[in-house]
Amino acid sequence: MKILIAEDETRLADAIADALKGANYDVDCAFDGIEGAQKATSGQYDLVVLDIMLPGKDGFSILEEIRRMQPETRVIILSAKGELDDKLKGLEHGADDYMTKPFHFEELIARVNLQLRKKNEESGEILSLGNLQLDRKKGLLYNESNGQTLPISGKEYALTEYFLEHPSQILSREQLYNKVWGWDNNIESNNLEAYLSFIRKKLRLLGVDVSIKAIRGMGYRIETSEK
């Protein structure tokens, strides 16, 4: 699960990031509203921890953009604005939760866990395409035609999940890098191809009717043999 923290107090943002990384989440930060809006609406994040008073663009405006462009993304507002009217405004704009500063890190992590658990329940534990299934809970690839399974984890899991969440769509190299390695990654260009090769090998071993194709000059697409 990938989380964005949109918070202009850099020390606080870094502290929140460290706490969430300690809970095994993949975390990026944005320190102003412009960067926050760009990242939050990119489709790379499962949840956004969003401050309201951000320079460049306020949190309510960012929240409206998220709900318009990435409605499945969970949003927890974390703000010093603690009046009832502020909380009601945040929830009316589509926030899933609202926390006020100061706060306890343990409570924030608990609320993040809750929102992401709800997201998983709504999206389902099984992703399918053709006769391929990905069991998110068990970390297994499954061929529903012959019953064969293979475990999958780490970057291979993250890439496969992202492809199956966007079936038949062309995903650019940049989208894949940002989703799996983060915005500020410094990975070598051949790392992506290496992981895609590992995934393709698993798909062949399973004998599924699904493959990942390179689309010249554009990116990659997961598709069934019927395509």
Side-chain angles (χ1 to χ4, degrees):
M1 289 291 183
K2 198 170 182 67
I3 297 173
L4 174 67
I5 301 165
E7 168 62 62
D8 62 324
E9 295 182 41
T10 57
R11 291 178 64 182
L12 176 58
D14 289 341
I16 296 171
D18 287 343
L20 291 171
K21 288 175 182 176
N24 296 317
Y25 289 113
D26 191 1
V27 185
D28 289 333
C29 294
F31 302 109
D32 62 63
I34 303 300
E35 181 187 19
Q38 178 191 12
K39 289 185 174 181
T41 58
S42 67
Q44 310 299 317
Y45 299 96
D46 300 288
L47 182 144
V48 179
V49 178
L50 180 64
D51 188 17
I52 295 301
M53 296 180 288
L54 292 169
K57 183 175 289 188
D58 68 88
F60 290 128
S61 298
I62 296 172
L63 179 55
E64 289 179 351
E65 291 185 33
I66 294 171
R67 286 293 163 255
R68 184 173 68 254
M69 299 172 65
Q70 301 294 337
E72 75 283 355
T73 301
R74 295 280 167 166
V75 179
I76 297 177
I77 291 178
L78 182 62
S79 175
K81 297 171 72 67
E83 297 297 323
L84 178 60
D85 287 347
D86 297 315
K87 294 180 181 179
L88 292 176
K89 184 177 180 180
L91 296 173
E92 288 169 358
H93 276 67
D96 297 289
D97 200 354
Y98 195 114
M99 289 185 66
T100 56
K101 303 173 183 176
F103 64 96
H104 295 287
F105 286 101
E106 294 83 358
E107 182 182 0
L108 175 60
I109 291 171
R111 294 195 186 203
V112 166
N113 291 341
L114 175 61
Q115 291 303 325
L116 291 176
R117 185 163 63 247
K118 287 180 178 179
K119 184 177 188 295
N120 275 340
E121 290 171 354
E122 290 173 3
S123 61
E125 293 180 357
I126 304 295
L127 289 174
S128 300
L129 182 66
N131 61 4
L132 173 68
Q133 293 186 344
L134 173 64
D135 188 321
R136 288 166 148 168
K137 186 174 182 180
K138 297 179 180 178
L140 288 175
L141 289 174
Y142 175 68
N143 183 334
E144 63 177 351
S145 297
N146 61 23
Q148 187 173 350
T149 63
L150 282 175
I152 189 166
S153 60
K155 298 290 191 297
E156 294 175 47
Y157 174 93
L159 284 166
T160 304
E161 181 184 48
Y162 193 46
F163 275 114
L164 289 173
E165 287 175 337
H166 301 82
S168 300
Q169 294 183 30
I170 298 175
L171 301 176
S172 69
R173 293 168 62 87
E174 183 181 42
Q175 285 177 292
L176 296 170
Y177 284 143
N178 291 341
K179 176 64 178 179
V180 178
W181 282 273
W183 285 76
D184 299 320
N185 70 76
N186 293 308
I187 68 168
E188 296 180 3
S189 60
N190 61 353
N191 281 19
L192 175 60
E193 281 72 19
Y195 281 105
L196 291 176
S197 177
F198 298 151
I199 296 169
R200 289 181 177 120
K201 183 177 180 180
K202 281 185 165 64
L203 297 180
R204 289 194 298 271
L205 288 171
L206 282 172
V208 294
D209 60 359
V210 172
S211 60
I212 296 173
K213 298 291 180 63
I215 310 300
R216 188 177 180 85
M218 300 179 69
Y220 301 87
R221 178 174 62 203
I222 193 168
E223 56 186 44
T224 66
S225 56
E226 297 175 356
K227 290 288 183 181

